[in-house]
Amino acid sequence: MRPSARQRSAVVALACSLTLLASACGGSDQQSSSSDSGSGDDGAKIELTIATFNEFGYDDLYAEYEAEHPNIKITPRRAKTVDEHIKNLDTNLAAGSGLADIEAMEIGWIYNYLAKADKFVDLRDYGANDLGDRWLDWKVAGATTADGKIIGYGTDIGPEAICYRKDLFAKAGLPTDRAQVAKLFPDWNSYFATGRRFKAKVPGSAWYDSSVLAWEAMRNQLIEAYYSNNDRYLGDENPLLKQTWDQIVEGYQDGLSAKLPAWSDPWTKAFRSDAFATMACPGWLLGVIQDNAGTFGKGKWDVADVFPGGGGNWGGSYLTIPKQSANPAEAAKLAAWLTAPEQQIKVFKKIGSFPSTLDAYEAPQVKSQVNAYFNNAPTGKIFIDRAKSVILKQHKGPREGEVNTVFTDALARVDAGKQKPDDAWKQALRDADKAANTRKGG
């Protein structure tokens, strides 16, 4: 997913972690009608439909696959927005017909469909176990149910590093070499402590862009955030959640946040100023920074091979096969091919989506990638290291999106100076409890 397209995808990735969006879907609901036996006795082609959102970079791959499989015709359906895609998915899943043979899902909301795994093909029945160690363990875990069913093959991922302004670090007397910067904040305590040192030296700049995005980065590292592993809503029973909140609030009170709502006009314009010095950045965000900062930021931004507290991931998708598919075996073959290392490398070269397959990391096109805009940072190696550092899969409960929206909205009010932190926390607990105990149909 190309960085410029990824900017849209990033909005969605965050939005989907805040709330599951819903609006009318504009796309064909025609279903493939061929049998599951490959090409029919009459030699007719099998049509495989694949529903995606934003930019997956698959157009050339479809043509390549069709050339190698003359009996297959691939019909793509790309929703204009992720919320359209989700609405289409939910509507047709409930109706029992109308889904594509392959349905893409984002890492931020696939957990909702793990609870409906009986509606999707268990890919173990079509060779998932034979693929061995193709993907990073945590990527596979994201599409695996508690009882071991695998409903999705992994596409890209968004391993996170720390992007930083070399010039502002120099102004604060901090190291500017990326290897030395990586030693500054192995955990969040040291990250915030370094931010306070920075703020004391450069009072006109903030340390990071937004309390909300800091919350997303830190909260996603908790094994249990809003729910226990048995789907019990935790609320104020989780001391780690409150500790995370308190740490971010203290940062806000110390002026570490630039108080910029992500993807707002002020946030976009801030890249062409000295508004803030660091941000949590998955690989696709480098393109967003470059697009927004332009010539102003060239040579000023760099990226360090570190993420406080270990590994973090923001973004990535899966390909799933609904049981509605008339051709699950052929759909599984196509999904496996599209997510194979060779194809992930092609997509990476074309639009920058970072691979989730281990073999792809041995390819020179990936491991030797250098980003000239970020002072020739070895971004291939950096994000391979960051991907391998992610070891935990956070459990997400049935109302995860709605609950997270409550807490991020509360932090946004704090960042904007519209509510005191203690009042915002208490309101978030009340509102999240209501959201967690609301049952919706479908």
Side-chain angles (χ1 to χ4, degrees), residues 117-198:
D118 61 317
K119 304 291 186 182
F120 296 88
V121 166
D122 182 353
L123 292 170
R124 295 179 302 175
D125 296 337
Y126 293 94
N129 289 337
D130 296 333
L131 295 176
D133 299 325
R134 170 179 283 189
W135 294 276
L136 292 156
D137 289 346
W138 59 267
K139 183 64 175 180
V140 177
T144 303
T145 65
D147 58 356
K149 295 184 179 70
I150 300 174
I151 70 165
Y153 283 157
T155 62
D156 59 321
I157 53 175
E160 294 187 273
I162 292 292
C163 291
Y164 67 99
R165 283 277 300 273
K166 288 187 68 172
D167 57 327
L168 294 181
F169 270 47
K171 192 174 181 180
L174 295 172
T176 59
D177 176 76
R178 65 180 69 95
Q180 295 301 313
V181 170
K183 297 177 181 179
L184 290 177
F185 23 78
D187 53 32
W188 290 106
N189 285 335
S190 55
Y191 176 76
F192 282 97
T194 304
R196 291 179 176 90
R197 288 169 53 196
F198 170 86

Side-chain angles (χ1 to χ4, degrees), residues 217-232:
M218 298 173 71
R219 187 266 309 172
N220 269 324
Q221 288 182 323
L222 302 177
I223 298 178
E224 295 177 332
Y226 303 126
Y227 287 85
S228 71
N229 285 328
N230 61 2
D231 281 342
R232 185 174 64 85

Side-chain angles (χ1 to χ4, degrees), residues 307-322:
F307 197 67
N313 182 76
W314 179 8
S317 299
Y318 295 89
L319 300 182
T320 71
I321 301 169

